[in-house]
Amino acid sequence: MVVEALSSDTAHLALVAAVAIVALVVIYTLDRPSGAWGRRLRSRFVFGIPWGTLVAIASVIGVYLFVQDGITNPNRPVVIPFRAWSYFYPEGVLWSGFAHSSRSHITGNLLSTLVAGTLAEYAYGHYPRARGATTFRSLRNNPYVRAFLVVPGAILTFGFVSSLFALGPVIGFSGVVFALWGFALVHYPVGTIAALTGSTLVSVLYSTIRSPVEFAEASASYGAPSWANIAVQGHALGLIAGILVAVWLVRRRRRAGDRNAPVVAGIVAFGAVLLFGASRRLWAVYWYLGNDQYELYRAVGFALLLLLALVVAVAVAGREEPLRPQAAVPDPDTIRASVASATPAAIGLLLLVAALAAVAGPGVVPNLVTVDEGETPGDPIEVEGYEVTYAEDVEDRMVSVIDVEAFGRTTSVRTSGVIVSNPDREIWTTAVSRGNLAFWGYRAVDVGGTGWRETVWVQRTGWVASGGGPTYRVDGVYDGDRSTLFVGDPADAEPRLDGRNVTVAAVEGGFELRVTHDGATETAPFPSAEGAVTLQGIDFVREDRRLYAERGDSRVRVATQERYEGRQ
């Protein structure tokens, strides 16, 4: 069967490769004999290749493989220590802009980087465009310096800078990706919107090569709403920064007399930003209510997106002439003279800077505050300075690090799930939510640092009382040792047998039965598989995942072992 599956995959890949080769040959033939496409690429890139984008992509892959230890398990890199938890934890701030949470996360970001980065790098170019500029005369005009140092240096530098202003412990290269899209939007608004489809094509091609045939079936799943997984503040920060740099570059080239500099109409820029922002869900402004609950403010988010598109239109297409020519002065040296001499272009740039500051500002204060070093709930597992435990309905020390109350909402929220803390690294996080663990039954929690990892496995085991609720315990397994992290409340079974009440209870290391009759309670451990135990004159028989109570001719089911949908 395995050989047949491999043969099928190979055949499908061969089909895709054959059609792709035919398409490339036809395109190459159509472009001959002039070779206009190739000449155009070589006029902007060294050897027609976007080297800067490729170097940046290779750097991010290096972080994923060797810093996050993705080379050991590409599907499960170490994530927790590489978030920007605080300015007082430099390691997280350094890597958070380049680290990723999964293979699909890094794949999506880098495929988008390939498309957006190529557009932005093409707009900048490896060869100087100013009149009179000579290639290789200076480092500034050297195409190899621009291709291998300036472009990747600017991309990677912004990756670090963006982590300094990110709101919350976000992770990923998406801030840079949005900056590249923003830069490209100003230069080629229509082409960039079209390139979004190209980005999807690249993603589909990657998925085709990786899984030419895939089987799927409908199943339940558990997780936060899709819009709650979007770092909208980081995305907006990157987009505005990229647009700001592009507007500055475009206007600088216009003043230098570069006739080839793109002159973008305001209405086109407005529409391009609006379409891009809507497709990339920049309207997803939400508030975390705690315990896996979120509130989306779509109307507010869409209004802010409209406002941003308007500001970009003014910045891109605003005139250089003063709004009030009669009050303008040639070289204003006071604030009042500067206001009187203001031009639409200057106002647009000022509004962009203000928008950037408004988006970046909220990320500074939380990063200046350290997490409260209170005692970790329960009896945590200690791993190289980390503490891993499980708790329910406890204060979220990460979200409430800044006490904010506004419009009936507060940052003082509660959380439930697997808690990971490390005071030395300013880390406190719900690594696995209660619902996620209940869905899967077990989860791996990776902790570590640059180039190393340790794994704690967390497992939920429970029984559901007939007509009642579940009782469960959560265990942690590390280095071969198992310990109980949490024990849930007992659950009463609804059936009463001859006046006897049956309770199923999770206890440290196992489960027990409790039978109460006439004020007296007898207790015994759960019977083993296919085993039995007698309490208060009632025989309890376990058959596989079910527990039955028998007395005389009566037999009822009193409990069923939990099943976890993610493992079915």
Side-chain angles (χ1 to χ4, degrees):
M1 294 296 293
V2 175
V3 174
E4 291 179 3
L6 289 175
S7 299
S8 176
D9 286 354
T10 303
H12 284 89
L13 285 175
L15 175 63
V16 173
V19 174
I21 290 172
V22 170
L24 290 174
V25 170
V26 171
I27 292 173
Y28 180 80
T29 302
L30 292 174
D31 194 41
R32 305 298 293 169
S34 61
W37 291 0
R39 286 205 314 272
R40 178 168 293 184
L41 286 175
R42 288 190 295 273
S43 71
R44 307 294 294 137
F45 295 146
V46 174
F47 304 121
I49 297 174
W51 295 108
T53 299
L54 296 179
V55 170
I57 288 175
S59 300
V60 175
I61 292 174
V63 171
Y64 188 84
L65 293 178
F66 303 110
V67 176
Q68 295 186 260
D69 196 38
I71 196 168
T72 299
N73 188 337
N75 293 313
R76 207 183 74 223
V78 180
V79 175
I80 292 175
F82 302 114
R83 294 182 180 274
W85 297 101
S86 169
Y87 293 149
F88 300 100
Y89 175 45
E91 186 176 0
V93 174
L94 174 64
W95 297 119
S96 65
F98 314 105
H100 290 81
S101 59
S102 65
R103 182 162 65 177
S104 61
H105 187 201
I106 188 174
T107 299
N109 273 342
L110 293 189
L111 290 178
S112 191
T113 299
L114 183 62
V115 177
T118 299
L119 280 171
E121 191 169 357
Y122 185 88
Y124 174 70
H126 297 163
Y127 300 97
R129 300 177 66 178
R131 290 184 177 181
T134 303
T135 304
F136 296 109
R137 174 170 291 182
S138 65
L139 288 177
R140 178 182 177 184
N141 293 334
N142 188 308
Y144 292 95
V145 172
R146 293 164 72 101
F148 293 98
L149 291 179
V150 175
V151 174
I155 290 175
L156 297 177
T157 298
F158 184 76
F160 169 72
V161 172
S162 64
S163 68
L164 296 174
F165 299 97
L167 181 60
V170 297
I171 192 172
F173 203 55
S174 55
V176 175
V177 174
F178 273 74
L180 294 171
W181 281 118
F183 190 93
L185 273 171
V186 170
H187 283 271
Y188 313 113
V190 177
T192 300
I193 296 301
L196 287 173
T197 305
S199 179
T200 303
L201 174 62
V202 173
S203 179
V204 170
L205 178 60
Y206 169 82
S207 299
T208 301
I209 294 173
R210 186 163 173 259
S211 301
V213 179
E214 185 173 342
F215 172 78
E217 61 181 353
S219 63
S221 61
Y222 183 86
S226 59
W227 42 263
N229 291 320
I230 298 173
V232 64
Q233 184 260 0
H235 292 179
L237 177 67
L239 182 67
I240 297 172
I243 289 173
L244 186 59
V245 173
V247 169
W248 172 81
L249 183 62
V250 166
R251 291 196 170 278
R252 182 168 175 266
R253 286 175 174 175
R254 288 178 189 170
R255 286 193 294 268
D258 184 357
R259 296 181 182 273
N260 294 320
V263 180
V264 185
I267 188 64
V268 177
F270 176 85
V273 172
L274 195 59
L275 287 172
F276 177 83
S279 67
R280 295 294 162 142
R281 295 189 286 190
L282 282 178
W283 42 262
V285 177
Y286 68 91
W287 189 281
Y288 178 55
L289 302 175
N291 280 324
D292 300 323
Q293 294 183 329
Y294 306 82
E295 192 168 60
L296 174 66
Y297 304 104
R298 186 181 284 109
V300 173
F302 191 73
L304 291 173
L305 178 60
L306 280 170
L307 184 60
L308 175 62
L310 180 60
V311 169
V312 172
V314 173
V316 169
R319 303 189 315 275
E320 296 284 357
E321 295 80 16
L323 286 171
R324 299 169 56 198
Q326 67 279 6
V329 295
D331 297 306
D333 55 0
T334 64
I335 295 178
R336 182 175 181 179
S338 298
V339 171
S341 306
T343 66
I347 292 174
L349 282 173
L350 183 62
L351 289 174
L352 269 180
V353 172
L356 184 64
V359 172
V364 175
V365 175
N367 284 324
L368 287 171
V369 180
T370 59
V371 177
D372 179 20
E373 295 186 15
E375 184 177 350
T376 304
D379 186 15
I381 294 174
E382 297 184 3
V383 184
E384 302 291 338
Y386 289 91
E387 292 185 334
V388 181
T389 189
Y390 182 93
E392 294 190 354
D393 199 34
V394 296
E395 182 183 18
D396 191 318
R397 295 184 194 163
M398 189 68 239
V399 177
S400 61
V401 67
I402 299 294
D403 188 12
V404 176
E405 293 187 13
F407 307 107
R409 295 291 180 258
T410 176
T411 55
S412 181
V413 297
R414 315 292 288 181
T415 187
S416 300
V418 181
I419 308 298
V420 177
S421 66
N422 188 322
D424 295 334
R425 296 173 182 261
E426 302 300 334
I427 294 174
W428 199 100
T429 183
T430 306
V432 181
S433 70
R434 175 177 58 186
N436 188 279
L437 185 62
F439 179 77
W440 291 100
Y442 69 93
R443 295 277 80 184
V445 178
D446 294 309
V447 298
T450 303
W452 68 276
R453 83 161 76 199
E454 295 288 338
T455 300
V456 177
W457 288 92
V458 181
Q459 181 180 14
R460 168 172 165 151
T461 307
W463 286 81
V464 181
S466 298
T471 181
Y472 54 91
R473 75 174 196 274
V474 177
D475 294 342
V477 180
Y478 171 63
D479 199 22
D481 296 327
R482 176 182 291 268
S483 59
T484 299
L485 303 176
F486 178 85
V487 174
D489 296 330
D492 295 326
E494 188 177 84
R496 289 171 56 89
L497 294 136
D498 198 13
R500 290 159 173 78
N501 297 319
V502 180
T503 300
V504 182
V507 295
E508 186 171 345
F511 293 86
E512 66 180 24
L513 285 167
R514 301 170 186 170
V515 181
T516 303
H517 180 58
D518 290 338
T521 300
E522 290 186 8
T523 301
F526 246 58
S528 58
E530 308 305 327
V533 67
T534 301
L535 293 172
Q536 294 280 24
I538 298 177
D539 297 325
F540 292 91
V541 180
R542 180 174 171 182
E543 296 179 1
D544 191 21
R545 304 176 64 90
R546 296 177 176 84
L547 184 70
Y548 295 92
E550 299 177 350
R551 181 173 172 82
D553 294 331
S554 300
R555 187 175 194 262
V556 296
R557 187 170 65 189
V558 294
T560 305
Q561 194 170 13
E562 279 190 340
R563 288 185 178 272
Y564 306 104
E565 296 180 63
R567 292 158 61 181
Q568 295 180 20

